[in-house]
Amino acid sequence: MFIDRAKIQIKAGDGGHGMSAFRREKYVPKGGPSGGDGGRGGDVVLVVDENLNTLIDFRYKRKFAANNGVSGQTKNMHGAAAEPLYIKVPPGTLVKDEETGQVVADLTENGQQAVVARGGRGGRGNARFVNSVHRAPTFAEKGEPGGARTLQLELKLLADVGLVGYPSVGKSSIISRVSAAKPEIAAYHFTTLTPVLGVVSIAEGHSFVLADIPGLIEGAHEGVGLGHDFLRHVERTKIIIHVLDVSGMEGRDPIEDYHKINNELKLYNERLAKRPQVVAANKMDIPEAQDNYNKLVEYMAKEGREVYPVSAATGEGLTQLMQRVSQLLLEYVEEPEAEEDTKIYEAKPEEEFSISRDDEGTFIVTGKGIEKLVAMTNFDNDEAVQRFQAIWRKLGIEAALKERGIQEGDSVRIRDMVFEFKE
Ligand SMILES: Nc1nc2c(ncn2[C@@H]2O[C@H](COP(=O)(O)OP(=O)(O)OP(=O)(O)O)[C@@H](O)[C@H]2O)c(=O)[nH]1
Ligand SMILES: [Mg+2]
């Protein structure tokens, strides 16, 4: 089965902790502060590898974590930064944030990269907190936690050509004739449940990727049948082969089918309806087909569409059809991609804090800046706590809490830290 969606959990590395240390010098009882900074945590980076064409590997490995930065050392030695963790994805992978649904990256070109989680900054060592007032700070910052999120990966098949048509017109029979793909073929509708890709070789160095998708029926654009899920696979193809059953063995009129299917394409996406299309009149080996074919040729001449008589049963006409399609591909001029398709979305700027209360009356402070400060503060050290309080006042959190009526002794929670409010 073709897997084209995957969910992965990623975690960038935490920053290394800053060190708190003092120089030891002869004759100097307490030398200057000399704790080094921690190194940056590793980023998590997605990178396109053109040798991949499915997301199947993510079925077996779903969690990825980059290494943490190394902690700072004594003698002002900084900890090493961690290497980024690269995760390979196939071209055509659309990446969304699971929680917000926001598009994080649209990866199409070989080698293209997207940083999907940033490593945490290294904590600063105590040497960095020296100022005119504090000559010998004893505290250091902890490393910033690395970003973590769940990503939804979605692969739109990068097929050049799509086989489109009613169920049972012979789409799978055609792909199995012209490529090495071996999809199931049967006389009932919706035999094909997921798209199948095949490589069609025309001549040495000339090949294209053909996609066989489940049959479409009326209402497909709004989810009737199976087609809707797969129309997005056709979105990125350059040419459509519209397969019609001209044998009439199912009692339908091929010209009517043609209009119904094109209407579905149009309702799904106007651009899809404008894609170059060639008509394959299939099942020509059946005697009744000839009559319908003649009518079809006459009709399509007016429509300005090329029609190719083929039989997937005997193989007749398929070489000509594939050669023509290959020719059209060479002539194909890329449509300019809609701008939003290629944009890499930047993370939101850090928002302010907000205050809420839970059922027990605990004040809950949320906000990226303050949460980061809590994560990076070593609360075992009095000086670090003092620094925390100074920033906390500067951010206006204390004033905001008072405005909300906080009393001495009330609880305040930030992330997993709970403390008692004191003036
Ligand atoms: N006589 C004849 N039968 C054909 C030809 N092409 C396909 N068939 C038969 O038509 C039936 C449907 O063929 P499929 O290739 O499964 O059709 P499909 O369009 O892929 O159908 P779905 O996957 O259900 O959308 C099968 O019984 C095939 O053997 C042909 O050229 N001649
Ligand atoms: Mg099929």
Side-chain angles (χ1 to χ4, degrees):
M1 193 174 83
F2 191 80
I3 306 280
D4 63 350
R5 270 175 205 278
K7 206 192 276 182
I8 58 170
Q9 284 170 14
I10 54 165
K11 166 83 177 67
D14 298 339
H17 298 320
M19 178 75 181
S20 178
F22 290 87
R23 271 193 305 276
R24 285 161 169 272
E25 285 166 14
K26 264 186 189 168
Y27 315 119
V28 184
K30 199 171 190 186
S34 65
D37 300 345
R40 250 197 106 73
D43 293 338
V44 178
V45 182
L46 299 184
V47 54
V48 177
D49 182 342
E50 64 184 359
N51 298 316
L52 301 177
N53 55 17
T54 70
L55 298 173
I56 198 153
D57 296 344
F58 297 113
R59 227 169 156 194
Y60 308 104
K61 184 164 167 57
R62 294 198 174 114
K63 288 188 179 174
F64 298 86
N67 289 329
N68 297 335
V70 176
S71 294
Q73 306 291 312
T74 56
K75 297 183 189 164
N76 282 317
M77 282 197 296
H78 294 338
E83 291 291 317
L85 175 71
Y86 293 99
I87 303 172
K88 290 178 186 173
V89 297
T93 303
L94 186 70
V95 185
K96 288 184 185 161
D97 184 292
E98 153 92 353
E99 202 180 318
T100 63
Q102 200 189 28
V103 174
V104 177
D106 185 3
L107 300 168
T108 53
E109 301 294 328
N110 190 39
Q112 193 183 343
Q113 299 190 352
V115 177
V116 286
R118 295 228 172 255
R121 179 168 69 74
R124 286 170 290 180
N126 68 332
R128 302 263 245 120
F129 293 99
V130 177
N131 55 34
S132 52
V133 184
H134 290 102
R135 296 286 174 76
T138 57
F139 68 93
E141 245 175 355
K142 296 204 280 182
E144 179 192 359
R149 69 210 298 201
T150 301
L151 297 176
Q152 182 85 48
L153 307 183
E154 189 180 298
L155 178 64
K156 297 193 182 192
L157 302 185
L158 288 187
D160 304 299
V161 180
L163 286 164
V164 167
Y166 244 90
S168 293
V169 294
K171 301 178 295 298
S172 300
S173 304
I174 291 175
I175 201 173
S176 70
R177 270 273 177 184
V178 298
S179 77
K182 290 284 162 269
E184 207 183 317
I185 293 167
Y188 56 87
H189 286 191
F190 300 117
T191 306
T192 304
L193 298 175
T194 53
V196 175
L197 285 188
V199 178
V200 181
S201 296
I202 297 296
E204 226 185 287
H206 275 283
S207 64
F208 60 85
V209 179
L210 183 63
D212 169 27
I213 70 158
L216 300 176
I217 53 173
E218 264 182 294
H221 74 281
E222 51 186 17
V224 180
L226 294 169
H228 185 267
D229 268 356
F230 306 109
L231 278 172
R232 66 198 162 81
H233 292 301
V234 187
E235 267 185 281
R236 287 193 183 187
T237 62
K238 298 171 183 143
I239 290 167
I240 290 171
I241 299 179
H242 192 147
V243 185
L244 297 174
D245 175 354
V246 285
S247 75
M249 63 197 233
E250 295 213 353
R252 289 192 320 267
D253 174 20
I255 295 175
E256 237 169 64
D257 279 8
Y258 168 80
H259 283 296
K260 281 181 182 161
I261 296 293
N262 275 344
N263 195 40
E264 288 307 318
L265 296 182
K266 189 167 153 196
L267 290 171
Y268 182 78
N269 178 341
E270 286 279 348
R271 276 168 61 188
L272 208 52
K274 295 195 186 104
R275 199 78 20 109
Q277 217 180 76
V278 292
V279 173
N282 191 31
K283 309 197 185 178
M284 284 300 287
D285 55 288
I286 300 200
E288 287 78 13
Q290 193 60 48
D291 238 16
N292 282 328
Y293 174 67
N294 295 342
K295 280 188 215 147
L296 190 67
V297 169
E298 203 179 303
Y299 186 82
M300 291 299 165
K302 282 184 264 167
E303 287 271 294
R305 287 259 191 250
E306 298 174 26
V307 188
Y308 287 81
V310 300
S311 165
T314 66
E316 181 203 329
L318 288 174
T319 308
Q320 289 90 320
L321 173 64
M322 293 303 142
Q323 274 171 350
R324 178 61 185 144
V325 166
S326 163
Q327 183 62 36
L328 288 171
L329 277 174
L330 289 174
E331 294 165 10
Y332 181 82
V333 187
E334 199 81 42
E335 279 177 64
E337 285 243 13
E339 201 156 273
E340 56 180 14
D341 280 4
T342 50
K343 207 186 284 168
I344 303 287
Y345 292 83
E346 284 297 327
K348 277 187 289 183
E350 289 180 12
E351 85 274 38
E352 308 265 283
F353 62 89
S354 63
I355 296 172
S356 58
R357 293 190 81 167
D358 68 9
D359 298 344
E360 284 146 32
T362 301
F363 288 81
I364 299 163
V365 182
T366 52
K368 248 189 181 164
I370 183 67
E371 288 179 31
K372 192 156 115 182
L373 181 65
V374 166
M376 295 177 78
T377 299
N378 175 5
F379 287 97
D380 296 336
N381 180 295
D382 289 344
E383 285 174 43
V385 173
Q386 278 167 25
R387 174 171 174 269
F388 174 81
Q389 285 167 341
I391 297 174
W392 156 276
R393 274 189 214 109
K394 214 163 115 192
L395 289 173
I397 297 173
E398 183 158 321
L401 282 169
K402 281 184 184 162
E403 210 165 279
R404 295 279 305 247
I406 198 164
Q407 300 291 327
E408 186 98 5
D410 283 347
S411 300
V412 178
R413 182 158 66 79
I414 304 172
R415 278 171 65 116
D416 45 6
M417 279 285 299
V418 179
F419 36 101
E420 201 173 284
F421 184 76
K422 277 206 191 96
E423 281 285 349

